[in-house]
Amino acid sequence: MRCYWKKTSVVFLFLLLVLYITIDNKGHGFNEEEKRWARVLITQQLNSDRNLQSFRDLQNDSLPFNVSYSFLAGFPMQKQKYLTVGLSSIKRKQGSYLLDTLNSIFTQSSEEELKQMVVVVLLADFDMRWNEQVLRDISNRFPRPILKGHLLVIHAPQEHYPPLHGLKRNFNDAPDRVYFRSKQNVDYAFLFNFCANLSRYYVMIEDDVLCSKNFFTAIKKVLSPRENSPWVTLEFSKLGYIGKLYHSSDLVRLAQFLFLFYQEMPCDWLLSHFRALLAQPDIMRFKPSLFQHIGLYSSFQGSVNRLKDEDFEENPTDVPDNPPADFFTNITTFEKYSANKAYGNVEQYFWGKSPSVGDYFTLVLHKPAVLTRVLIDTGTEDRKKDVLISARVEVGKDPATVKNKVECSIYVKLGDLVNGQFVKTNIEQNMHSAFSCLRIVVTESQKEWVIIQRINIWMLKNCHSNAWYNLKCV
C-alpha cells in the first residue's frame, strides 16, 4: 500500500488549524487538550515521512491492493481502536446527506466512546472539485474530530480502478446501472482494504443515515459475550449495506472478494454470499436497529428512495444481551424456521407444528449467566392464531449432554405465558444464582401451529455463582 499526502491539503489544514486554535466559529477558544492535539496534527502533517512510517506499522503485508490513498483530512493513530465506522460517498444528482450523517455519528457518541472509535470517509467521486468542496465542508464542520484523530477522510485515485465500462450486463441491468454498482463494489473494496488494521471491529454504514444514541455502546454490548464465538457478519439494520459489522481481520478477504466479483452483482448480494461462504448460513440481526436511512434521493440517478427501518430506535435504552446459546426442541419444525431463529433476529422466527403437552423449547447458554429479565413473544401480526396458548417458563442449572442434546438437571419455574407472551423482571432479586438453561414447556396441547417470534435475555455483567450464597459480581 502506498500513501501520499497532498501538499494542498497540508497547507489548507495548517491554515485551518491556526484559525481554529486562535478562535473557533462560536468565538470560544480551544482548551489545552485541543491545542495539544492541534500541535500534534500539524507536526504529523508537515512531517509526512514520519507519519507514513507510523501508518505502515499498522498495515498487513498481505493487503491485496497497491493503492495510493490520498489523506485529505486527519491522520492514522498508531494504536488500534475498538471500532471503525466506514462509509463511502459520491456526488448525488439530488440531495446531500454526508454532513448530517457525520454529525449524527459524533453527536450521538460520548467522548469516552469516541476515544475507542475512528470514522473513515472515502470520498469516492472522480470529480476532484466536488471532493475538494466536500473536504472544505467537513473540515469547517468537524475540526475537533479531525484534531483528535476521530475522523479520517481519504481518496483513491481513478487510475487504480479496474475497467468500469463495457462490463457484463447481468440481470439485464442497463449500462449505467452496471457502472454504478460495479464502481460501488470497488469503492467498498478500497475502503475495506484501508481500514483492515485500524481497529478490532468494523461497521459499515452509508452516507445518508441517522445513528442511535450511544450506538457504540449498544454494539459493544452485543459483541462482549460473542468475542470467542464464530460469526462473520452481525447486522444492526435490515436496510441495504447499513449497520453491517465485521471482524477487521476479515476485511482483507472481503476486499478481495468484492474486487474479484465487482462486475457480477450488487454489493449487498455479494456480501450475503461472503457470509455464507465463511459458514454463517443465517442472518444474525439485532433489534432495535441502530441506524436509520434518511436519504430521500438515491445516489444512483437521484431517484426517490423512501426506505425506512421500522425497527430503528433513536434512543434505545434497553438493548437485550442475548448471549450465545444453543437450541433444542422436540416440536416439529416447519421448513427452515429453525429454533435458533427465535433468538434476537428481527424478521425471522421459530415456526413449529401443533405442539402437545410436555413438548419443550430449550435454550442453553454457552456460559452460565445471572438473569435480570426475560421476554418471550409468540405469534406475529399476520399470524395471530399461531401463539403458544399454554406453557410455563423455567430456568435451569447443571447442563449435561443426554441423547445428543444438552439439558439442565435442575429447573426452577419462572412463571407462565399469558396471551402468548412472557415478561419477567428483577429475576436476580429472587434467584441469586447463575443459570444455563431457559426452557419453555407446553402445558396444553393445541391444534394451531406455534410461532416463537423472539426470546430476549438481559443479564448482570461479570457475575458468576454456584449457589445463592456465593453470588459474585465484579
Side-chain angles (χ1 to χ4, degrees):
M1 177 186 292
R2 301 194 305 271
C3 307
Y4 298 105
W5 298 77
K6 297 289 187 180
K7 291 183 179 179
T8 55
S9 298
V10 173
V11 174
F12 171 76
L13 190 53
F14 179 83
L15 294 175
L16 178 69
L17 291 173
V18 171
L19 174 64
Y20 272 95
I21 288 172
T22 306
I23 186 169
D24 68 13
N25 288 334
K26 297 180 181 180
H28 302 292
F30 270 23
N31 60 37
E32 290 303 317
E33 181 185 7
E34 289 163 340
K35 291 179 181 179
R36 180 177 64 84
W37 275 102
R39 288 193 294 270
V40 171
L41 181 54
I42 292 170
T43 302
Q44 293 274 11
Q45 297 279 50
L46 297 180
N47 293 278
S48 59
D49 290 341
R50 175 183 174 187
N51 195 292
L52 289 176
Q53 183 59 49
S54 297
F55 184 65
R56 290 190 187 101
D57 292 340
L58 291 174
Q59 301 310 304
N60 188 321
D61 292 337
S62 65
L63 292 180
F65 310 119
N66 189 23
V67 182
S68 300
Y69 295 98
S70 299
F71 282 78
L72 304 183
F75 60 99
M77 303 296 293
Q78 193 163 7
K79 182 179 179 181
Q80 285 190 337
K81 304 281 188 170
Y82 184 84
L83 179 70
T84 297
V85 180
L87 60 152
S88 173
S89 188
I90 61 173
K91 179 170 60 177
R92 296 171 181 258
K93 291 187 177 181
Q94 295 191 67
S96 178
Y97 311 97
L98 175 59
L99 297 182
D100 292 333
T101 297
L102 292 175
N103 184 66
S104 181
I105 293 172
F106 294 122
T107 59
Q108 296 289 63
S109 304
S110 68
E111 282 298 321
E112 287 302 314
E113 290 173 326
L114 289 173
K115 289 178 182 178
Q116 302 178 67
M117 59 190 281
V118 60
V119 180
V120 178
V121 178
L122 172 67
L123 295 183
D125 207 277
F126 294 152
D127 183 346
M128 291 308 299
R129 289 187 177 180
W130 179 85
N131 291 333
E132 291 170 0
Q133 179 58 55
V134 174
L135 174 62
R136 286 193 291 269
D137 294 340
I138 292 175
S139 299
N140 284 326
R141 184 83 175 270
F142 306 104
R144 292 183 178 180
I146 293 174
L147 292 177
K148 294 189 175 183
H150 302 324
L151 175 61
L152 296 174
V153 184
I154 62 172
H155 174 73
Q158 185 174 355
E159 57 263 28
H160 293 296
Y161 281 72
L164 296 173
H165 295 282
L167 305 179
K168 294 185 296 183
R169 292 180 58 185
N170 293 345
F171 318 109
N172 201 33
D173 280 348
D176 58 345
R177 173 64 182 173
V178 174
Y179 172 89
F180 171 81
R181 61 174 171 81
S182 299
K183 180 181 178 299
Q184 187 178 56
N185 284 332
V186 181
D187 293 341
Y188 289 166
F190 287 165
L191 179 58
F192 296 149
N193 178 64
F194 179 87
C195 296
N197 288 312
L198 297 181
S199 61
R200 186 172 181 181
Y201 300 102
Y202 175 93
V203 64
M204 185 72 185
I205 63 173
E206 296 178 1
D207 66 346
D208 56 351
V209 303
L210 177 70
C211 305
S212 292
K213 188 172 182 60
N214 302 121
F215 68 89
F216 173 90
T217 298
I219 290 175
K220 196 169 184 179
K221 183 177 183 180
V222 170
L223 286 173
S224 180
R226 291 172 175 79
E227 290 183 347
N228 298 316
S229 300
W231 56 268
V232 179
T233 309
L234 303 182
E235 301 191 7
F236 295 91
S237 172
K238 65 181 180 181
L239 298 180
Y241 199 16
I242 299 173
K244 307 306 185 281
L245 186 125
Y246 303 92
H247 295 277
S248 291
S249 57
D250 284 335
L251 291 182
V252 170
R253 284 186 291 182
L254 182 54
Q256 292 172 326
F257 185 77
L258 285 180
F259 196 82
L260 181 62
F261 298 105
Y262 78 98
Q263 63 176 305
E264 302 298 333
M265 62 186 69
C267 61
D268 48 346
W269 295 9
L270 283 172
L271 294 166
S272 64
H273 286 297
F274 180 79
R275 168 179 52 78
L277 287 169
L278 293 186
Q280 182 188 314
D282 297 319
I283 294 173
M284 297 179 67
R285 184 178 296 136
F286 297 90
K287 185 177 180 180
S289 296
L290 302 179
F291 305 95
Q292 177 66 285
H293 179 258
I294 60 172
L296 178 60
Y297 299 103
S298 170
S299 55
F300 175 62
Q301 293 188 336
S303 56
V304 175
N305 184 358
R306 301 181 185 276
L307 287 177
K308 295 293 181 183
D309 189 337
E310 61 269 22
D311 297 312
F312 171 76
E313 292 183 16
E314 187 172 358
N315 190 13
T317 58
D318 207 10
V319 178
D321 295 298
N322 287 5
D326 296 318
F327 305 86
F328 305 91
T329 183
N330 64 346
I331 301 173
T332 303
T333 303
F334 175 63
E335 294 185 349
K336 297 182 180 180
Y337 295 88
S338 54
N340 65 299
K341 294 182 178 180
Y343 193 55
N345 293 326
V346 173
E347 294 181 336
Q348 302 185 44
Y349 46 77
F350 167 74
W351 200 359
K353 299 182 179 180
S354 307
S356 302
V357 172
D359 284 353
Y360 61 86
F361 185 104
T362 304
L363 179 155
V364 182
L365 301 178
H366 291 180
K367 294 181 179 180
V370 178
L371 307 183
T372 63
R373 179 183 172 192
V374 171
L375 182 149
I376 300 171
D377 275 337
T378 69
T380 61
E381 283 296 320
D382 57 340
R383 298 186 181 275
K384 295 181 179 180
K385 291 184 178 181
D386 290 351
V387 300
L388 190 51
I389 296 173
S390 180
R392 68 177 181 270
V393 179
E394 304 170 332
V395 288
K397 299 174 59 176
D398 301 331
T401 301
V402 180
K403 295 182 179 180
N404 296 323
K405 71 182 183 74
V406 179
E407 190 62 83
C408 283
S409 59
I410 302 172
Y411 279 97
V412 178
K413 182 178 177 180
L414 275 185
D416 297 309
L417 266 71
V418 178
N419 297 323
Q421 293 186 322
F422 178 83
V423 178
K424 185 75 172 182
T425 60
N426 301 321
I427 297 172
E428 79 286 358
Q429 295 181 11
N430 298 317
M431 297 183 176
H432 305 271
S433 181
F435 294 98
S436 294
C437 297
L438 177 70
R439 184 170 69 174
I440 304 170
V441 181
V442 178
T443 54
E444 182 180 328
S445 300
Q446 61 183 66
K447 293 182 180 180
E448 293 81 6
W449 288 13
V450 61
I451 289 175
I452 301 179
Q453 182 185 154
R454 58 173 173 162
I455 300 175
N456 285 338
I457 291 174
W458 290 258
M459 62 184 189
L460 287 179
K461 300 298 185 295
N462 301 318
C463 294
H464 60 89
S465 75
N466 293 316
W468 67 270
Y469 52 81
N470 66 350
L471 177 63
K472 295 181 181 180
C473 298
V474 295

